[in-house]
Amino acid sequence: MRVSGVLRLLALIFALVTTWIFIRSYVSLDMKTIRLPRWLAGFSGAKKIRVVKTKCGLSKPCPNNFFAFKISSGAANVVGPTVCFEDLVIMSPVKNNVGRGLNIALVNGTTGMVLTQKYFDMYSGDIKLLVKFLKEIPEGALVLVASYDDPGTKMNDETRKLLSSLGSSYAKQLGFRDSWVFLGAKNLKDKSPFEQFLKNNPGTNKYDGWPELLELEGCVPRKVF
């Protein structure tokens, strides 16, 4: 065999061995992932994107010593409301603990611990149950409220006054099939900045007989109230 032939054979063997080593080093056996070597990754043009996970899926994270929350009202009488606090879903259709009327969760304003959650039928339920509940809210508790279907038919003056004392600006006008989401606290001196309200209006309703779903999110400081 000529020398040139030997050299070609050696070159072929070297190329095969090098290719095999590359494949074993950078391509997984199941062919699902490929790792670029360090010297090649620098030329790939790819940039690492850091995805920041926020509590309750907020658009941006809350500062230290702030609680994250998100409250969604129900959509018509089809999809129930959701109440999330510090990345904990307190009430939702999935948890099967929401109902027609007002859905209310109480949270300790200092520790963030959930105290209780209940819903009150405001169409055919007993309004006295809601009055009793509102009167027994402890000092320092945050009150998270989401409407579903009809939050206003059973509403009376006493209930409106109690809800207003929690910082609501719209409790006095809450009526049949309105949409409402709210976060307040007992004996709040000023009106809460965390509230959204939509009146049931046949001319502007998104759904057949109901206004659109409301979503309220934000960061509330500890002991702010």
Side-chain angles (χ1 to χ4, degrees):
M1 182 180 291
R2 296 181 180 181
V3 175
S4 60
V6 173
L7 292 177
R8 290 193 187 95
L9 179 61
L10 291 176
L12 177 61
I13 294 173
F14 177 78
L16 292 174
V17 172
T18 303
T19 302
W20 175 246
I21 293 175
F22 180 87
I23 293 175
R24 289 295 301 271
S25 300
Y26 302 112
V27 181
S28 64
L29 295 179
D30 58 4
M31 298 302 290
K32 290 182 179 179
T33 58
I34 297 177
R35 296 185 296 107
L36 293 177
R38 293 180 180 178
W39 57 269
L40 185 58
F43 299 96
S44 65
K47 295 182 180 180
K48 292 183 178 179
I49 300 176
R50 184 182 177 186
V51 179
V52 179
K53 182 181 182 301
T54 60
K55 294 178 180 179
C56 294
L58 267 61
S59 55
K60 60 181 180 180
C62 292
N64 293 331
N65 296 320
F66 279 73
F67 292 125
F69 74 90
K70 179 181 284 187
I71 308 171
S72 300
S73 68
N77 62 345
V78 179
V79 181
T82 299
V83 177
C84 179
F85 190 86
E86 279 294 281
D87 221 23
L88 172 66
V89 177
I90 304 173
M91 306 181 75
S92 74
V94 175
K95 297 177 75 70
N96 196 29
N97 61 352
V98 296
R100 176 177 64 181
L102 293 179
N103 295 262
I104 305 176
L106 302 183
V107 177
N108 186 299
T110 301
T111 65
M113 181 181 68
V114 177
L115 302 177
T116 188
Q117 51 79 23
K118 290 184 178 181
Y119 63 86
F120 300 89
D121 188 342
M122 299 299 290
Y123 182 77
S124 60
D126 186 354
I127 192 62
K128 293 179 181 179
L129 297 177
L130 176 58
V131 171
K132 182 177 183 295
F133 179 85
L134 295 175
K135 287 183 175 180
E136 293 177 353
I137 294 177
E139 295 288 341
L142 298 176
V143 185
L144 295 82
V145 185
S147 67
Y148 179 33
D149 188 5
D150 176 21
T153 295
K154 286 281 185 173
M155 194 73 65
N156 57 25
D157 291 341
E158 184 177 19
T159 310
R160 296 181 192 280
K161 184 177 180 180
L162 290 169
L163 290 171
S164 296
S165 70
L166 299 175
S168 173
S169 300
Y170 296 102
K172 292 182 179 179
Q173 52 184 297
L174 192 64
F176 177 65
R177 288 186 176 179
D178 292 342
S179 286
W180 183 46
V181 283
F182 167 68
L183 184 148
K186 189 170 184 178
N187 297 324
L188 190 62
K189 295 180 179 179
D190 299 314
K191 293 302 180 182
S192 172
F194 305 114
E195 185 173 25
Q196 289 187 25
F197 173 77
L198 268 181
K199 196 69 179 172
N200 172 22
N201 186 330
T204 58
N205 284 345
K206 181 175 182 179
Y207 310 111
D208 185 18
W210 290 267
E212 66 179 311
L213 175 152
L214 290 177
E215 191 169 83
L216 178 69
E217 68 172 51
C219 305
V220 56
R222 299 173 188 265
K223 297 182 179 179
V224 67
F225 298 114

